[in-house]
Amino acid sequence: MSVDYSVQGSVAVLTVDNPPVNALGYGVRDGLKTGIEKAVGDSQVKSVVIIGKGRTFPAGADIREFGKPSREPWLTTNGQLIETSSKPVVAAIHGTCLGGGLEIALFCHYRIALPFAKVGFPEVALGLIPGAGGTQRLSRLTGLPVAMEMIYSGRHVPINKAKEYGIIDEIVTGDLLKAALEFAQSIQGRPFKDRCLKFKAVPGADRVEEYASAAMSQVKKKYKGYEAPMACVQAVRASAELSYEEGMKFEREVFGQLLESGQARAQQYAFFAERAVTRWQMPGGSYKTAKPLPVRSTAVIGGGTMGSGIAVCLLSAGLPVYLLEQNEKFLQSGVNMVKNIMAGSAKLGKISMETAKKAATLLKPTLSYEDLRDVDLVIEAVYENLDLKREVFSKLDKVCKKSAILCTNTSTIDIDRISTATSRPESVVGTHFFAPAYHMKLLENIYGTRTSPNAVATVMKLGKTINKVPVLVKSCHGFLANRMNAPFGSEAIFLVEEGASPQEVDQANEDFGMPIGPFKVRDLSGIDISWRINREVAKAMGTTITKETRFLGGNRYCGLNDDFYDRGRYGRKTGKGWYRYEKVGGKIPVVDTESQEIIQSYRERRGIVKRKITPQEIHERQFYSCINEGFRILDEGICNTPEEIDISWIYGFSFPKYRGGPMFYASQIGLQKVYQRICHYHQTCPYSIHWVPNRLLKKLAENNVPFSEWANHVSKSRM
Ligand code: 3HC
């Protein structure tokens, strides 16, 4: 039974028991209906308590039921039964009372909660609005501005705030059931019909226009491209403009339309994908069998931009960090960077003042490897150079205790080439952070051929501890994210070489939903950095890049980036790059004639006749080449599922969640179409290896394999 019915004295207790989060699936809804009807018909019962067993009050509708035929009783049926009950009903809340769970609570006549409980309407994160009265009922309690903000942001509201808003009647401590029974007894005999929200007027309804337009402008700023947040505002607005019944009808219609939309499907996919990637597997171990080692103390080698950002992540989670640099000057600069980031985060309210203060005491700057003798985990974040990294690991091997996990923040180098500098390659693992490390949520964890599953379990757990989304991949050059990003970035440059402007390429990407186009990204990360990476790649191939270079390792090469480098245009840091900026370090890109001249003279030098390139071609060439690489990554076993790729792109490169990630997006376009276009570009651009159509993609496209089956075909394709 998903809902247990018991009577304690004069109070009926309905205990929802549907682990892990008491989602309101069919069984729970049916159990609640039966329970309420039974309580109403039981003459011994004078009041009713609804409570959740285990870790939480219901955390929402059962998302797994979306898209399947709906079964009565619906949540609103439960709600109406509660609201019209002849006996008062009390919601006793602990854990996370979310979505449909909060809607049930709002149908109850009273709500009490434990101090650490949270409430919220996170439907917006699933591409939806609340669909069982939340948009019509919350505003009647809290007023319009709070209801609009809570629903369009989806944030989880701490219980003391919820009490301030009027959502919670009483915060109780100790045993929740005991407190709920006492509360339910205390209200017996009191009139309670005025507690039904549907009869209440919406406070501030006369200013609805003003509130809605303020909320809408926030939504447009913060959630560009997303449909649901706007619909949230419109639905709450309806609560002030329509009767309760009409408002409920409006909410139902909008909920139904969104449920059928591509965005909701993609966002729900992303919700489950994010959880699926925690179930990692590698040769010899998995999340089920491997044991994470305790991490109580850490060290970061290198106090540059990445190293300081990584130190901030560890410190914010309350972990002590040794920050090691090679000299006093660099060390001081690293410490200052850490302090500035922490101060900035505290100012923006991202971390508390206490966390920032505590972090200052946890940071231990050092110049000596000897200090790292007892740390549990070290993250190396020095400059991307194999010899240097090997030198660092050889030193770590000499001083660190045997059980220490040695991590590298390399963004491209094969882990095996680094781990062989130690006598313990089983303890060496990649922990690739994305810039800015304290902000981007992806942690790409990488295992080499000799990395132990326990080392992997340790960094997967560490990812959660520092509030990242960890994804596990097998080592190869560029791993998952940067390997897929390579054709994406190369095609951007080739498109400009052939005739597009950087702003046209950026615009096509931003129209698709990327927060910032690839040329603005290059200006941000530094043209000198991509220049250096190209040289490292050439060096690894035993060759050099000159003005004449057109191919690198048999692959098409464009030297436009080098021309910008030669002119000292490194991007924002020099005030000019692909764009011009108002000042050195400026943030607002302006189209620049010198930039256009560099591009045009490059084309003339190479005899390229500029042609008009459509936004569709820009889109296909960047995203389809990266999707093809994604299939190659799956095919080679660099990762196991398309979910791992999609989550990496959502959290590493801010791919729009409402499109689900590049692989899910490919499934929505249709693999046959994607495959045909890749074949077309392979014919028209034969000198780019990334256009060689992948065989797994070909097989899935030809057999019209649905997305849910892709992962099953992956393992077979590797045989
Ligand atoms: N439906 C179905 N399954 C759910 C679920 C839901 N609403 N919420 C969580 N789960 C599942 C997860 O998929 C996961 O399954 P797994 O173990 O097989 O991977 C398991 O429950 C545990 O979830 P988490 O790993 O996320 O556990 P946490 O403790 O980290 O977080 C939580 C708990 C905060 C409740 C988080 O799970 C969450 O945010 N859930 C979604 C809440 C939500 O969106 N509610 C609104 C639903 S839509 C709705 O109610 C519509 C209504 O208005 C009509």
Side-chain angles (χ1 to χ4, degrees):
M1 278 293 281
S2 303
V3 179
D4 176 65
Y5 180 88
S6 68
V7 178
Q8 308 207 17
S10 56
V11 182
V13 180
L14 310 190
T15 308
V16 180
D17 183 9
N18 185 25
V21 298
N22 287 325
L24 295 151
Y26 167 73
V28 175
R29 298 195 308 272
D30 196 44
L32 280 176
K33 176 175 180 284
T34 312
I36 296 287
E37 285 171 346
K38 211 165 160 185
V40 168
D42 186 340
S43 59
Q44 193 192 324
V45 170
K46 302 276 181 288
S47 54
V48 184
V49 166
I50 300 178
I51 193 167
K53 191 171 175 186
R55 62 202 238 203
T56 187
F57 195 82
D62 188 337
I63 308 166
R64 289 177 208 274
E65 285 184 358
F66 291 167
K68 296 183 184 150
S70 64
R71 283 173 85 186
E72 283 222 59
W74 299 313
L75 265 184
T76 42
T77 319
N78 288 149
Q80 276 154 20
L81 275 174
I82 293 168
E83 189 159 59
T84 56
S85 146
S86 53
K87 299 167 185 180
V89 185
V90 180
I93 297 169
H94 75 298
T96 41
C97 166
L98 303 174
L102 181 53
E103 285 170 315
I104 286 293
L106 293 184
F107 275 110
C108 292
H109 305 98
Y110 297 92
R111 288 158 291 279
I112 65 166
L114 286 179
F116 291 108
K118 288 188 175 168
V119 301
F121 281 118
E123 284 87 343
V124 69
L126 303 168
L128 298 170
I129 63 169
T135 63
Q136 303 306 298
R137 303 171 70 81
L138 185 67
S139 56
R140 287 176 155 80
L141 261 186
T142 65
L144 290 166
V146 170
M148 283 176 182
E149 190 278 333
M150 254 183 80
I151 293 178
Y152 77 61
S153 72
R155 76 188 163 98
H156 296 187
V157 178
I159 219 63
N160 50 356
K161 234 346 172 201
K163 175 138 194 298
E164 222 176 86
Y165 291 157
I167 299 170
I168 298 296
D169 298 300
E170 207 169 296
I171 300 176
V172 296
T173 51
D175 184 299
L176 180 61
L177 178 59
K178 190 165 166 275
L181 287 170
E182 280 167 18
F183 187 92
Q185 271 162 5
S186 74
I187 53 161
Q188 288 173 3
R190 275 197 224 159
F192 61 92
K193 284 295 154 194
D194 65 335
R195 308 272 321 168
C196 297
L197 292 179
K198 72 184 228 177
F199 300 126
K200 282 194 188 297
V202 175
D206 52 331
R207 293 171 66 186
V208 62
E209 184 71 50
E210 176 196 336
Y211 295 140
S213 84
M216 224 30 140
S217 74
Q218 285 297 313
V219 161
K220 284 185 184 147
K221 209 156 63 190
K222 290 188 184 160
Y223 308 102
K224 205 170 145 232
Y226 285 85
E227 290 163 2
M230 282 200 262
C232 290
V233 176
Q234 280 155 358
V236 178
R237 181 183 180 138
S239 74
E241 292 180 332
L242 304 176
S243 69
Y244 174 74
E245 284 71 22
E246 284 169 340
M248 289 293 279
K249 188 165 167 266
F250 180 79
E251 179 195 82
R252 200 163 48 247
E253 281 166 11
V254 175
F255 181 86
Q257 284 158 11
L258 289 172
L259 195 59
E260 294 300 310
S261 77
Q263 290 207 353
R265 267 198 298 274
Q267 286 176 251
Q268 284 157 36
Y269 158 75
F271 174 87
F272 288 116
E274 190 172 329
R275 282 144 186 89
V277 300
T278 61
R279 297 187 274 274
W280 58 270
Q281 278 184 34
M282 63 182 278
S286 73
Y287 73 102
K288 286 187 193 155
T289 53
K291 298 262 173 303
L293 303 172
V295 177
R296 296 185 204 95
S297 56
T298 66
V300 174
I301 315 294
T305 312
M306 282 314 279
S308 323
I310 294 168
V312 168
C313 300
L314 298 165
L315 292 165
S316 304
L319 287 166
V321 181
Y322 279 102
L323 183 65
L324 186 141
E325 257 297 354
Q326 52 182 310
N327 62 43
E328 201 53 66
K329 188 176 154 212
F330 289 171
L331 188 59
Q332 198 47 53
S333 144
V335 169
N336 290 344
M337 247 190 281
V338 169
K339 287 189 176 157
N340 289 340
I341 298 168
M342 297 295 279
S345 299
K347 214 166 151 191
L348 289 172
K350 288 184 181 166
I351 56 167
S352 65
M353 257 347 239
E354 293 85 76
T355 307
K357 276 189 198 145
K358 189 171 170 216
T361 64
L362 294 173
L363 181 65
K364 300 172 196 168
T366 179
L367 297 172
S368 165
Y369 274 84
E370 288 300 319
D371 283 341
L372 313 189
R373 193 166 287 283
D374 293 323
V375 296
D376 296 321
L377 181 138
V378 185
I379 301 179
E380 162 277 307
V382 302
Y383 173 60
E384 189 77 347
N385 174 288
L386 177 61
D387 296 338
L388 180 58
K389 286 187 189 282
R390 284 182 62 85
E391 192 187 317
V392 169
F393 273 79
S394 148
K395 284 184 189 160
L396 290 173
D397 192 34
K398 289 196 182 82
V399 296
C400 291
K401 63 183 180 190
K402 262 289 160 238
S403 60
I405 302 296
L406 308 182
C407 313
T408 168
N409 179 50
T410 176
S411 54
T412 50
I413 304 171
D414 192 334
I415 303 304
D416 291 347
R417 300 177 78 194
I418 298 173
S419 70
T420 47
T422 73
S423 61
R424 44 172 129 173
E426 68 284 358
S427 302
V428 178
V429 60
T431 45
H432 178 205
F433 289 75
F434 287 70
Y438 55 89
H439 176 69
M440 296 305 284
K441 296 271 281 180
L442 179 63
L443 179 66
E444 188 178 41
N445 288 330
I446 308 118
Y447 64 92
T449 45
R450 294 179 59 192
T451 308
S452 75
N454 287 354
V456 166
T458 308
V459 292
M460 291 302 279
K461 183 160 179 228
L462 178 76
K464 286 269 171 210
T465 308
I466 61 175
N467 200 23
K468 300 280 176 206
V469 180
V471 174
L472 182 65
V473 306
K474 182 172 138 184
S475 188
C476 65
H477 182 79
F479 319 129
L480 186 161
N482 278 347
R483 194 172 142 178
M484 272 177 85
N485 198 30
F488 181 82
S490 300
E491 282 299 325
I493 297 236
F494 297 156
L495 286 156
V496 171
E497 185 177 47
E498 291 167 36
S501 67
Q503 46 283 10
E504 281 171 335
V505 174
D506 281 351
Q507 193 60 53
N509 278 273
E510 288 164 23
D511 288 347
F512 175 72
M514 299 301 281
I516 163 169
F519 288 99
K520 289 179 191 160
V521 171
R522 277 167 188 264
D523 275 357
L524 179 61
S525 58
I527 285 171
D528 53 326
I529 304 292
S530 26
W531 181 90
R532 205 166 291 134
I533 290 171
N534 286 344
R535 262 93 207 135
E536 288 283 337
V537 171
K539 194 171 140 201
M541 288 174 175
T543 181
T544 48
I545 295 170
T546 69
K547 283 263 175 224
E548 304 312 315
T549 302
R550 285 169 190 237
F551 298 99
L552 206 53
N555 207 5
R556 177 176 174 185
Y557 179 80
C558 169
L560 253 176
N561 195 76
D562 302 337
D563 282 13
F564 278 79
Y565 176 85
D566 291 344
R567 303 276 191 108
R569 296 183 67 117
Y570 296 171
R572 285 192 192 184
K573 63 176 92 163
T574 55
K576 43 192 180 168
W578 296 95
Y579 294 89
R580 187 164 50 79
Y581 297 84
E582 74 281 14
K583 57 176 189 213
V584 170
K587 291 185 177 158
I588 301 163
V590 180
V591 176
D592 181 35
T593 45
E594 194 189 24
S595 164
Q596 288 166 340
E597 280 161 22
I598 296 172
I599 295 167
Q600 190 48 32
S601 82
Y602 171 92
R603 290 184 190 128
E604 283 162 16
R605 198 171 79 231
R606 296 234 163 157
I608 297 166
V609 180
K610 179 181 170 186
R611 69 180 174 89
K612 180 86 196 127
I613 297 181
T614 63
Q616 181 64 17
E617 180 176 344
I618 294 171
H619 174 74
E620 288 184 355
R621 283 183 48 186
Q622 285 198 270
F623 284 96
Y624 291 13
S625 59
C626 126
I627 289 166
N628 195 33
E629 194 63 34
F631 278 104
R632 226 174 259 157
I633 283 167
L634 270 176
D635 202 2
E636 290 171 21
I638 302 306
C639 68
N640 296 317
T641 64
E643 281 85 350
E644 285 158 336
I645 296 177
D646 287 335
I647 289 301
S648 298
W649 271 71
I650 288 173
Y651 290 111
F653 300 126
S654 303
F655 188 95
K657 209 181 234 183
Y658 60 80
R659 297 194 190 273
M663 305 307 271
F664 182 83
Y665 174 63
S667 76
Q668 300 301 295
I669 301 167
L671 274 201
Q672 286 170 357
K673 180 173 171 208
V674 173
Y675 175 66
Q676 277 164 11
R677 297 304 291 160
I678 287 172
C679 292
H680 163 78
Y681 289 118
H682 180 45
Q683 277 170 2
T684 51
C685 318
Y687 298 113
S688 291
I689 294 167
H690 57 242
W691 284 123
V692 176
N694 170 259
R695 59 176 188 160
L696 173 65
L697 164 62
K698 179 170 188 270
K699 194 173 119 194
L700 296 177
E702 283 175 352
N703 294 300
N704 211 6
V705 178
F707 184 76
S708 56
E709 299 284 319
W710 288 7
N712 297 338
H713 286 255
V714 169
S715 44
K716 287 184 206 142
S717 79
R718 286 184 208 140
M719 290 171 189

